[in-house]
Amino acid sequence: MSETRSDRPSGPLRPWRGLIEEYREFLPVTDATPVVTLHEGGTPLLFAPRLSERVGAEVFLKLEGANPTGSFKDRGMTVAISKAAEEGAQAVVCASTGNTSASAAAYAARAGMACAVLIPEGHIALGKLAQALVHGARVLQVRGNFDVALEIVRDLPNRAPVVVVNSINPHRIAGQMTGAFEIVDVLGDAPDVHCIPVGNAGNITAYWRGYLEYKAAGHSTRLPRMMGFQAEGAAPIVNGAPVESPETIATAIRIGNPASWFGATAAASESGGGIHAVSDEEILSAYRFLASEESVFCEAASAASVAGLIKLGVPESSRVVCVLTGHGLKDPDLAISQLTVPPAVDAEMGAVLAALGL
Ligand code: F0G
């Protein structure tokens, strides 16, 4: 295997300068590209001992919630916004179930660009809405779901000078390939199985391309089986037809007509994997398991990858990577709805001991 990043500065704490600098030779950037970065990528690949025991395999979690805006979207956004800056764009736009809007808002602010986001009214997690607003995006809640918002966004460049930063922008997919590079760099080769949630299907498309390109470049010797998981009420690829009114508690993947549909089915079939559905109950059960047993607080949509792994199982001793796409703090309402928030007690020792049953 060839060493390609020998120019990296070294030291006890080597500075991570973001994924464009780390993986420049695989990305559509040149010396003329102004790099807009929040030092995204380089996220932990955490061994999951209890999950491994439960499924009889060696399972690692790719913690994409550790990116600067709390989701994997930053990987594609650093490239998309850098390229938009290179082209002289003044404004970017996206449709989003929340995370893309948070990431676009942050990177656009960094680049000094205007940003407009279209989100489905009433179906976006509170943290994501807060992020888009606090980073200064123009937030439009549309009366409709993600799919209709994306239809409008696709057409906007024909009416106004804006660049679309949804994953229909190929620079987004290019940046998201780096997740696969990092996994191979840490494990020394590709895993046997790669589990990932599927919404608009850009990420599974990007990971598969990433594994292919990294192998072609001599960094790995094999390819994983790509297992994609949709929520049962929003499972167009599994059903083989668009879903008019998708419904799931995992609002990030509440999508009825994925833009990268073909990319997902190609990844699944070429790799010998598949796209399957998991119920909201299975997603929530995996979400609680990850938080209580592995100390990883992820989004409900992210937990779909682990729900799928638990549901389908894998051959014994397989090496598995589950991508946990976003941080649990994105959706505090969902977290709290799963629990009972205890009442307040008086601020004195007796009351505290009694409340703790001590
Ligand atoms: N997980 C999370 C947390 C997401 O936010 C998304 C997509 C996915 C998984 C699915 O990834 O679309 O590439 O298949 N969120 C988009 C958004 C749609 O607007 O934030 P995908």
Side-chain angles (χ1 to χ4, degrees), residues 335-343:
I336 290 166
S337 76
Q338 297 296 297
L339 306 155
T340 313
V341 179

Side-chain angles (χ1 to χ4, degrees), residues 71-73 95-101 128 146 166-167 176 197-204 252-253 255 299 301-302 325-326:
S71 87
F72 73 95
K73 303 290 179 177
S96 180
T97 57
N99 280 325
T100 301
S101 65
K128 304 174 189 178
F146 170 84
N166 279 102
S167 56
Q176 287 173 210
V198 174
N200 211 25
N203 212 24
I204 188 170
I253 51 172
I255 293 175
E299 282 195 49
S302 311
T325 45

Side-chain angles (χ1 to χ4, degrees), residues 158-181:
N158 300 325
R159 311 291 185 97
V162 293
V163 171
V164 174
V165 292
N166 279 102
S167 56
I168 53 174
N169 178 331
H171 302 314
R172 280 275 315 278
I173 302 287
Q176 287 173 210
M177 292 193 307
T178 59
F181 303 164

Side-chain angles (χ1 to χ4, degrees), residues 250-300:
T251 54
I253 51 172
R254 187 176 172 272
I255 293 175
N257 193 10
S260 298
W261 188 311
F262 178 72
T265 51
S269 63
E270 289 170 18
S271 71
I275 312 287
H276 299 272
V278 284
S279 69
D280 279 3
E281 201 30 70
E282 288 162 342
I283 289 173
L284 287 174
S285 166
Y287 168 85
R288 291 187 297 259
F289 181 88
L290 285 166
S292 62
E293 301 295 323
E294 302 290 4
S295 304
V296 175
F297 185 23
C298 67
E299 282 195 49

Side-chain angles (χ1 to χ4, degrees), residues 1 8-9 41 55 79 89 103 108 122 133 176 179 189 249-250 279-280 300 304 326 332:
M1 287 183 205
R8 294 181 301 189
V55 301
V79 181
S103 185
L133 290 168
Q176 287 173 210
D189 209 335
I249 192 152
S279 69
D280 279 3

Side-chain angles (χ1 to χ4, degrees), residues 218-241:
H219 293 284
S220 62
T221 64
R222 45 208 213 101
L223 295 164
R225 267 196 300 135
M226 301 295 291
M227 304 297 294
F229 297 100
Q230 300 194 295
E232 226 165 60
I237 301 177
V238 179
N239 301 341

Side-chain angles (χ1 to χ4, degrees), residues 181-194:
F181 303 164
E182 290 176 15
I183 290 168
V184 170
D185 282 345
V186 170
L187 296 179
D189 209 335
D192 299 307
V193 179
H194 179 99

